[in-house]
């Protein structure tokens, strides 16, 4: 008889807490509360909820700032949020990583 080795990962809310929290908010605040008459109606309601979630509502994980405020603060601090997330200059990137590894 052949035996197969199985590798399973844990599933459930503990797997990715941030995504599970977002999914719970989306489900509790929009999907369980609204009736969607058409696909366009669902898109409109989702866009309004997403704007509220990203630009109006403060998040405790961001120091009670909205994601929009947190991004603006990062842009002011780093000069550009895109520059903080992705390096374009190879030489500059190597200097920064060399400083981190010291």
């Amino acid at each position: 008889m052949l035996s197969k080795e199985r590798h399973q990962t844990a599933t459930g809310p503990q797997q990715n807490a941030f995504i599970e929290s977002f999914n719970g908010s989306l489900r509790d605040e929009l999907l369980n509360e609204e009736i969607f008459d058409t696909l366009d109606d669902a898109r409109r309601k989702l866009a309004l909820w997403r704007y509220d979630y990203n630009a109006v509502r403060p998040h405790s994980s961001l120091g009670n700032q909205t994601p929009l405020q947190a991004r603006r603060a990062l842009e002011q601090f780093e000069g550009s949020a895109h520059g903080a997330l992705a390096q374009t200059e190879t030489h500059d990137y190597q200097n920064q990583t060399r400083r981190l590894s010291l």
Side-chain angles (χ1 to χ4, degrees):
M1 180 186 268
L2 296 174
S3 67
K4 291 185 179 181
E5 193 174 325
R6 290 188 189 197
H7 296 283
Q8 292 183 326
T9 58
T11 58
Q14 71 278 8
Q15 194 170 21
N16 190 333
F18 295 110
I19 295 300
E20 292 299 325
S21 176
F22 173 80
N23 288 344
S25 296
L26 176 65
R27 182 179 50 253
D28 293 342
E29 298 167 13
L30 180 69
L31 301 177
N32 291 345
E33 298 294 322
E34 296 288 340
I35 295 175
F36 305 110
D37 298 323
T38 64
L39 183 57
D40 285 336
D41 182 45
R43 288 178 176 150
R44 184 182 59 78
K45 289 176 180 176
L46 179 59
L48 290 171
W49 182 86
R50 189 173 52 222
Y51 175 79
D52 179 67
Y53 188 85
N54 288 324
V56 177
R57 177 190 318 179
H59 295 250
S60 60
S61 63
L62 299 173
N64 291 318
Q65 295 181 31
T66 67
L68 185 60
Q69 291 169 329
R71 179 161 184 92
R72 286 183 182 150
L74 178 63
E75 287 172 345
Q76 288 177 351
F77 180 73
E78 293 288 337
S80 169
H82 291 293
L85 300 176
Q87 300 296 326
T88 56
E89 303 272 347
T90 304
H91 179 69
D92 189 37
Y93 175 74
Q94 289 172 345
N95 285 340
Q96 289 179 1
T97 54
R98 189 174 298 123
R99 275 186 260 136
L100 290 174
S101 64
L102 293 177

